[in-house]
Amino acid sequence: MFYREAGQFKTSYKADQALMPILQDRVGLAVILIIAFAVIPALANDFFLTSIMIPFLVFALAAIGLNILTGYCGQLSLGTGAFMGVGAYAAYKLTSIFPEANVIVMVLISGVFSAAIGAVFGLPSLRIKGLYLAVTTLAAQFFLEWCFIRIPWLYNYNASGAIEVPHREVFGIVASGAEATPLARYFIVLGITTVIALLIANVLRGRIGRSWMMIRDMDIAAELMGIRPLRTKLMAFAVSSYICGVAGAMMVFFWLNAAEPSSYSIRLSFQILFMVILGGLGSLSGAFMGAAFIWILPVILKFVPGLIGIDLAAETIEHATFMIVGALIIFFLIVEPHGFARLWQIAKQKLRVWPFPY
Amino acid sequence: MRNFKQLALGTAVALGVGLTGAMTTAVQAQDANYVPLLTYRTGPYAGSGIHIANGMHDYLKMLNERDGGIGGVKLVTEECETGYNAQKGVECYEATKGKGALVYNPYSTGITLQLIPKASVDKIPVLSMGYGLSAAADGQTFPWIFNVPDTYWDGASVVIKYIGEQEGGLENLKGKKIGYIFLDAGYGREPIPLLEQLAEKYGFELLQYPVPGAEMQNQSSQWLNVRRDRPDYMVMWGWGAMNPTAIKEAVKIRFPMDKFIGVWWSAGDDDAAAGGEGAKGYKAMNFSGVGSDFPALDDIKKHVVDAGLSSTDAETIGGTLYNRGVLNSVIIAEGIRTAQELTGKKVITGEDMRMGLEALNLDEARLEELGLKGFAHPMKVTCEDHAGSHPVFIQEWDGKQWQQASGWIEPMTDLVRPLLEKAAAEYAEKNAPWPARTEPCPN
């Protein structure tokens, strides 16, 4: 009833192959975009923007990056945090070498370095897969983290060993550094995330995306049908790392303002992996839902005891949040092992046939 | 399964309602001074963080209970749990700054680094007492950051000076080997430039043993190297679980404990106690009082702990880290009081607080008045000097508790100060355009 395709006829191949063939989906996406671009900026306060929305969008983009590799191409990776770090350090070096250049462009270019390094660490994927590949990407994680600590050139020989984001302006608006308003940073992060997500949505349903999925579903069959595994897998590694790198650069430039090597530790890799698994492997909307669950839920849970009038010590709330989120992760994975994206799909299906379930 | 899903839906709706509520509440009372405390009682550094948090909380609570606040205005404190995690620290900062926060004390070098550029924009000072960025001691470049009473470079110079004294003069350091075991993060790496400079000047060899944050509790390989290198002295820059582990390992390899000296953050009671009998003789620097023999601490016991308003046990009062937390709150409280005197206002803002901290003069008489005679060296902050490079003493673990083992030792200010100014200039250059100081000096 609410989600009925009846009456929506497709009269051309173009209409049939559209990104969103169903009217309700297009309306839904438009509503979400209006909320993101107009309603939130108009209503939200600084805390909501800087501590909830910006990190959420950054993590969602990183989850999209990992999803390409793990969800669509079937290559398990534990090196996401390090690839994000490469993007961050590359953007930092680029902007200190070219202080006049547009910082948004620098952030987008930084992903190229990440892509190159990701492709190098993707080389073993031709011979090994599954858990074995996870271990080689784990090596990437440790090696790159070691580089961030041990190569002082990467952090401009700062005494603190951290990278600190300088003040940069884009078209007269302060885009990074402490003076950048949360609103400006939010728009930049939102813009980059939206554009990349839409681009990837299109890539995924085209030739490249389909070849990734063929490799994931059965690599030998794919090879027999003329897909070159090496090129396809390396491309998945490169594209995935590019997106992760951009997310990592955005993390330090538009969210944290400074980052230590420990910001890009194995912990971050796991966090992104949880987002992908919980959101749903092989789903772009799942990446957003997973990021929301892992990042936004704990932040909100902290406010709950105060709101219902229970005075708890800060550390008790922290422990409770930890337990609740952990329990919810287990709960959701038992209810639906394929993640939120699958739950959403089931809900859509139910709405489509409502009120006559079969 | 059906009930599960309803439950999930219900939770989601409740959370949604909660969120909208959270955004509108949390406006502070207008007749109180609000001090957020960024503390950590969870995570790998909780072992050190809990005592600090208790000390900070209890002293401010005591002022509320005993005096009704400062200058007749109550203090509102709120703890925000950071877990020593920089991301959560920034989240805490964003969540509390809108409520009229007077000052931030992040108790983490990582969080301090993130807050430094924000402080001048949001006009809220950051008090990093004996930690954070050493260069911030240059008040002309960093008007909003305070690291009174000492920077890490002060500490590093004191430790070398003390070792020199043990050897009968700094000139006798020639040819000696000094090991430096440190937490491999901004915190532990910061003293290295000065130590290297001192090594060149006095002709000793500096051996470095980094301990990665994730490997804090697994230092066997570093201590194997120590055993092989046989340094004459060991200096430690550790925090959290790293400290007790290092002391245990040192005991295990039978390193002479009287030649093992920690920074003031490696001076906790639990840290030393972990080494058992063998830890006897372990030394550490300190700048806050030893023991609980101070009238102000008695007041804390009477008004806060016995009244059940604290999460402290009566026995932990007087521990090194607890006292450090108290000193941190003393500086905050005195900053507020000074600001009230300067501005004539009762309820002050972050900008007033900055003036108060910059005019802070905690002299002998004031310390006695506070019931803290001998608790700390008198401190004076000026516009130029936000650290003050105050003397530090060495304390020694006697197997049960810390005992003061030396007099107050002055840092090598003549060496440290130029380095600080150079580092501050470098920081400003790297973060160009760094805002020039616009704040007038209060005195």
Side-chain angles (χ1 to χ4, degrees), chain A residues 45-48 50-52 59 92 149-150 155-162 164-168 177-179 185 251 255-261 263 267-268 271 295-304 307 314-315 318-319 322 328 331-332 334-335 343 346 350, chain B residues 1 4-5 7-8 11 15 17-19 21-23 25 39 41-43 79-83 85-88 90-92 94-97 109-111 113-114 117-121 133 153 182 184-187 189-190 193 210 212 311 426-427 430-433 435:
Chain A
N45 60 6
D46 284 3
F47 173 72
F48 186 75
T50 50
S51 291
I52 294 182
F59 282 135
Y92 177 68
I149 296 175
R150 291 279 164 258
Y155 49 85
N156 284 355
Y157 303 94
N158 278 340
S160 57
E164 284 136 6
V165 172
H167 171 106
R168 290 284 180 271
E179 289 94 354
R185 291 188 279 149
M251 180 168 156
W255 172 28
L256 292 174
N257 265 330
E260 291 184 293
S263 307
R267 209 171 148 264
L268 182 66
Q271 224 174 356
W295 180 260
I296 301 183
L297 187 66
V299 178
I300 294 171
L301 276 180
K302 275 193 205 165
F303 288 100
V304 172
L307 283 172
E315 79 274 18
E318 182 78 15
H319 289 306
F322 232 73
L328 282 176
F331 167 78
F332 277 115
I334 290 172
V335 173
L343 275 179
I346 294 171
K350 297 219 161 168
Chain B
M1 214 38 69
F4 273 153
K5 280 178 186 167
L7 188 73
T11 321
L15 282 173
V17 174
L19 177 67
M23 296 299 133
T25 52
T39 55
R41 296 166 185 270
T42 64
E79 281 191 30
C80 188
E81 174 69 34
T82 69
N85 176 322
Q87 294 174 14
K88 279 199 197 149
V90 174
E91 188 190 314
C92 278
E94 297 289 347
T96 49
K97 78 172 184 193
T109 298
I111 302 174
L113 290 176
Q114 314 242 6
K118 294 181 197 277
S120 59
V121 177
L133 189 71
W153 291 341
F182 61 101
D184 200 358
Y187 157 60
R189 265 196 301 270
E190 186 128 359
S311 40
E426 259 173 35
Y427 184 98
K430 274 180 191 157
N431 290 280

Side-chain angles (χ1 to χ4, degrees), chain B residues 202-343:
Chain B
Y202 295 113
F204 63 85
E205 191 186 343
L206 183 70
L207 306 164
Q208 297 182 17
Y209 307 99
V211 178
E215 301 284 322
M216 287 193 303
Q217 279 158 303
N218 179 19
Q219 299 173 24
S220 308
S221 59
Q222 280 89 352
W223 287 96
L224 273 176
N225 290 340
V226 172
R227 199 161 70 170
R228 184 197 60 204
D229 298 343
R230 296 187 177 281
D232 297 288
Y233 285 88
M234 281 298 287
V235 174
M236 166 151 76
W237 236 255
W239 186 229
M242 175 178 162
N243 293 330
T245 314
I247 292 168
K248 267 189 269 183
E249 292 284 344
V251 170
K252 216 194 273 174
I253 68 158
R254 296 202 196 86
F255 189 84
M257 278 317 223
D258 54 332
K259 307 213 156 164
F260 187 18
I261 306 161
V263 67
W264 42 76
W265 299 118
S266 300
D269 294 61
D270 299 345
D271 301 341
E277 262 307 289
K280 216 181 209 170
Y282 170 65
K283 287 173 180 158
M285 292 185 269
N286 197 356
F287 52 71
S288 53
V290 175
S292 58
D293 203 7
F294 300 95
L297 295 187
D298 293 339
D299 283 346
I300 288 181
K301 193 166 177 307
K302 191 169 121 202
H303 293 284
V304 183
V305 179
D306 292 349
L309 297 170
S310 162
S311 40
T312 325
D313 302 324
E315 302 90 71
T316 55
I317 297 182
T320 307
L321 292 178
Y322 184 86
N323 285 2
R324 190 79 45 76
V326 169
L327 183 62
N328 191 82
S329 283
V330 169
I331 294 174
I332 294 175
E334 289 305 296
I336 295 175
R337 196 186 307 271
T338 315
Q340 285 174 335
E341 281 166 16
L342 282 174
T343 59

Side-chain angles (χ1 to χ4, degrees), chain A residues 282-332:
Chain A
S283 158
L284 286 187
S285 56
F288 284 91
M289 291 188 255
F293 186 86
I294 300 275
W295 180 260
I296 301 183
L297 187 66
V299 178
I300 294 171
L301 276 180
K302 275 193 205 165
F303 288 100
V304 172
L307 283 172
I308 50 178
I310 306 172
D311 188 26
L312 283 179
E315 79 274 18
T316 318
I317 296 176
E318 182 78 15
H319 289 306
T321 309
F322 232 73
M323 288 190 283
I324 294 170
V325 174
L328 282 176
I329 290 176
I330 297 171
F331 167 78
F332 277 115

